[in-house]
Amino acid sequence: MNQLSPRPYWYLRHGQTDWNRAGLSQGRTDVPLNETGLDQAVAAGQLIQQALRAAYDTGGAGIVRIVSSPLERALRTASLVRDELVAHGLPVMALSVDDDLAEVCFGEQEGQPIGTWYDDWIAGHYTPAGAESFDVLRARAVGAVNRATEQEGQPLIVAHGALFRALRAAMALPANVRLANAIPLSAAPEPGGAWSLRELP
């Protein structure tokens, strides 16, 4: 399924890894957070708790659960965010894993410097050897987000950069836009099928 259900969610890319810092394609390689990434995850948790409190104060809706990629850099980020929310007096949120939120498999490009091939990959003109096509990534990303949002209340989805490019495409937004590490966003459907993204808080 490539149609994203018109239900809001919050999104967070994992904190920095050494491969991020070196400008290498990570893909499915399970690279852990570095010290900067750990600090970024904690800071993201602080931003999210501020945004939650602001939503509660105005009668708005915040997140009620966390759904993460199974890869260590995302799951560790999700755990640190949840811990930070609890440290600021918020309830413990359920944290679950959806394997379809794992980063794209980049095949032979994993561990290589990030190149200029993303536009061709997104357009379907090029897929690295052993990698997933953009269409396959988009289908599983959309399926995972739809599962996360079908329950009552908004989820925080903690995952990856290329996967968010696929979600941007599903939201009819320019796809090849880099998402910085550990910057929480809210995604909300608008009338007419459009989507809006904003940084929190």
Side-chain angles (χ1 to χ4, degrees):
M1 177 187 295
N2 280 317
Q3 188 68 37
L4 195 62
S5 298
R7 296 186 290 256
Y9 62 96
W10 292 9
Y11 192 91
L12 180 67
R13 185 187 176 200
H14 60 81
Q16 187 190 79
T17 71
D18 285 345
W19 282 26
N20 288 147
R21 185 171 55 197
L24 303 178
S25 296
Q26 290 179 118
R28 203 63 62 80
T29 306
D30 207 0
V31 184
L33 299 180
N34 58 22
E35 289 300 318
T36 296
L38 294 169
D39 290 343
Q40 288 175 333
V42 171
Q46 294 171 355
L47 286 175
I48 290 168
Q49 69 88 16
Q50 291 169 11
L52 281 173
R53 291 189 183 281
Y56 299 154
D57 289 346
T58 59
I63 56 167
V64 298
R65 63 188 172 279
I66 304 172
V67 185
S68 176
S69 158
L71 296 181
E72 179 183 348
R73 59 189 183 269
L75 190 53
R76 181 77 168 124
T77 298
S79 297
L80 288 168
V81 166
R82 185 174 67 165
D83 291 348
E84 195 64 23
L85 299 183
V86 172
H88 283 83
L90 295 172
V92 178
M93 290 191 183
L95 170 57
S96 62
V97 168
D98 189 321
D99 289 345
D100 281 342
L101 290 174
E103 181 62 296
V104 65
C105 176
F106 276 138
E108 67 179 9
Q109 289 288 350
E110 296 198 10
Q112 301 302 310
I114 295 173
T116 58
W117 47 270
Y118 263 63
D119 282 326
D120 285 339
W121 172 60
I122 289 168
H125 302 318
Y126 167 74
T127 300
E132 285 179 286
S133 70
F134 188 75
D135 284 346
V136 168
L137 172 65
R138 173 174 165 162
R140 68 174 174 83
V142 166
V145 171
N146 285 348
R147 285 191 295 276
T149 60
E150 68 186 1
Q151 302 174 49
E152 186 175 351
Q154 293 186 61
L156 169 66
I157 295 169
V158 184
H160 305 275
L163 188 129
F164 195 66
R165 284 177 166 89
L167 291 173
R168 288 183 63 95
M171 292 185 284
L173 298 170
N176 196 8
V177 175
R178 184 180 182 278
L179 179 61
N181 292 103
I183 300 297
L185 303 173
S186 69
E190 302 286 348
W195 284 78
S196 64
L197 298 176
R198 69 177 182 87
E199 291 188 11
L200 300 176

